[in-house]
Amino acid sequence: ASVTLNCEVEHPSAGWRFYWYKAVPKLSGDSYSYELLPGSSSGTEQDSYMVHGQTHTAGYVCRAGRGDPVFYTQYSELRLVWSADVDPAASLTVSPDRVQHFTSDSVSLSCEGNSTEWRVRRFPEDRSLSCPSKWRMTGSTCKISTSQSSAAVYWCESGSGEFSNSVNITFQNDIILLSPVLPVTEGDPVSLSCKLTTENLRFNVEFYKNDKLVQSDTRLELNISAVSKSDEGFYKCKVMKESAQSWVSVKLSRPGVSSFLVPLITGLVCGVFLIILLMLLFCYKKSKGEFFFYSLKPKNTDLL
């Protein structure tokens, strides 16, 4: 899809030209290097810039300049444009695979992609998470093992400019809803569970979607046999205490090559079979007509 970026100067006036950059993470620190986007080396008169055909998540900044020699403003804040591609170039996975965790849990974040060097960032606290102290890095995996962690959005960045998907992670004390971190594919089964720090004493368990009660009995699970877009929403559970709510995202299934080949092959087979059937029918009618014509001929030609 095409994405339009807009840049604003604090005190607008004539003469400003706008420069547009793609951000590339510098793994040696918390900063980024900036690469000029095509067509903006001399700046643009317009305060907007259109990015065509963005396929993966990317970060952008802008700045303005005027005069000769050019006086530049500071760079703008980084803005990430998240891609909804079902097959991202980089991915962040969470173990255990759920949004909500108990404060005593140890949570691992893994970065995967074409790069071998990664850093993990989170929002709020817009800074990279270096693994010493509270964080430990093993290869491309960071571990959170602290009861002081708070709710945040996490993602991975590589030195080659890759940005992963983002994930939400929250920490609770007494009750959590077990729900998938990443979007689930339409048509797949989904199970949401309610988990407590203490044993469940068979109290009534309530599940809510967008604050509306959808199930109320002693079952600790809410099962959806084939998830659809209509199942997308905020879910929570309640067993005396109420859990935080988590967003369950549903992505459309992308048809593969096999799904196109099956109807194609079926159509070809049916077409060939129909052609053969028509040819046989034509031959049968033709032979029957010749026999009928032959039977009408007089047997004794002397009578003619």
Side-chain angles (χ1 to χ4, degrees):
S2 296
V3 178
T4 300
L5 309 176
N6 293 283
C7 197
E8 296 181 3
V9 180
E10 186 175 3
H11 302 291
S13 59
W16 288 109
R17 297 185 68 86
F18 298 90
Y19 299 81
W20 312 89
Y21 303 84
K22 180 180 179 180
V24 179
K26 294 174 67 174
L27 298 188
S28 57
D30 292 347
S31 60
Y32 299 86
S33 61
Y34 302 124
E35 298 177 354
L36 276 167
L37 291 172
S40 64
S41 58
S42 301
T44 63
E45 293 183 2
Q46 296 79 19
D47 60 357
S48 62
Y49 182 92
M50 184 171 289
V51 180
H52 296 282
Q54 177 175 319
T55 55
H56 303 298
T57 297
Y60 301 99
V61 298
C62 69
R63 65 174 176 173
R66 65 178 178 182
D68 187 17
V70 180
F71 165 78
Y72 293 101
T73 65
Q74 293 182 336
Y75 289 101
S76 69
E77 291 184 353
L78 174 71
R79 287 291 177 263
L80 292 174
V81 180
W82 299 99
S83 170
D85 191 355
V86 294
D87 297 315
S91 63
L92 169 62
T93 57
V94 181
S95 181
D97 181 19
R98 58 178 187 249
V99 175
Q100 298 180 22
H101 304 266
F102 292 118
T103 52
S104 58
D105 288 343
S106 178
V107 181
S108 297
L109 305 179
S110 298
C111 303
E112 297 179 356
N114 297 324
S115 180
T116 56
E117 293 183 309
W118 299 90
R119 71 181 178 195
V120 178
R121 294 183 69 93
R122 71 178 171 190
F123 179 86
E125 298 180 13
D126 188 19
R127 58 181 177 84
S128 65
L129 297 170
S130 55
C131 289
S133 66
K134 294 181 182 179
W135 286 78
R136 300 192 303 275
M137 177 69 82
T138 304
S140 58
T141 301
C142 263
K143 290 187 177 181
I144 316 171
S145 60
T146 171
S147 59
Q148 302 301 318
S149 299
S150 57
V153 178
Y154 297 80
W155 68 92
C156 298
E157 298 177 351
S158 75
S160 58
E162 292 177 297
F163 293 81
S164 75
N165 56 296
S166 60
V167 299
N168 295 298
I169 298 179
T170 64
F171 291 86
Q172 312 295 329
N173 290 315
D174 301 314
I175 180 173
I176 60 174
L177 175 73
L178 306 186
S179 61
V181 173
L182 300 177
V184 292
T185 304
E186 190 177 35
D188 287 353
V190 176
S191 179
L192 307 179
S193 304
C194 206
K195 187 175 182 181
L196 298 87
T197 52
T198 57
E199 289 187 15
N200 180 37
L201 301 177
R202 286 298 173 186
F203 290 108
N204 203 52
V205 182
E206 297 176 346
F207 286 91
Y208 294 84
K209 177 193 173 187
N210 298 331
D211 291 325
K212 291 183 179 180
L213 183 66
V214 293
Q215 180 176 296
S216 179
D217 51 37
T218 57
R219 290 176 294 171
L220 285 171
E221 291 185 351
L222 172 64
N223 295 310
I224 305 173
S225 58
V227 71
S228 65
K229 265 293 184 181
S230 60
D231 295 312
E232 201 170 61
F234 285 102
Y235 287 83
K236 64 182 177 181
C237 65
K238 183 178 180 181
V239 185
M240 297 185 294
K241 292 184 177 181
E242 190 174 270
S243 74
Q245 62 180 6
S246 291
W247 176 261
V248 174
S249 179
V250 179
K251 64 182 180 181
L252 298 176
S253 57
R254 173 177 288 180
V257 176
S258 58
S259 63
F260 288 110
L261 286 178
V262 171
L264 179 62
I265 293 173
T266 304
L268 287 174
V269 171
C270 292
V272 171
F273 178 77
L274 183 61
I275 291 172
I276 294 173
L277 185 63
L278 290 173
M279 290 177 65
L280 290 173
L281 185 62
F282 175 77
C283 291
Y284 172 75
K285 285 186 175 182
K286 184 178 180 183
S287 62
K288 186 177 179 182
E290 289 178 351
F291 174 78
F292 179 73
F293 177 75
Y294 176 77
S295 64
L296 288 177
K297 290 183 179 180
K299 293 183 178 179
N300 191 350
T301 57
D302 294 337
L303 296 176
L304 292 176

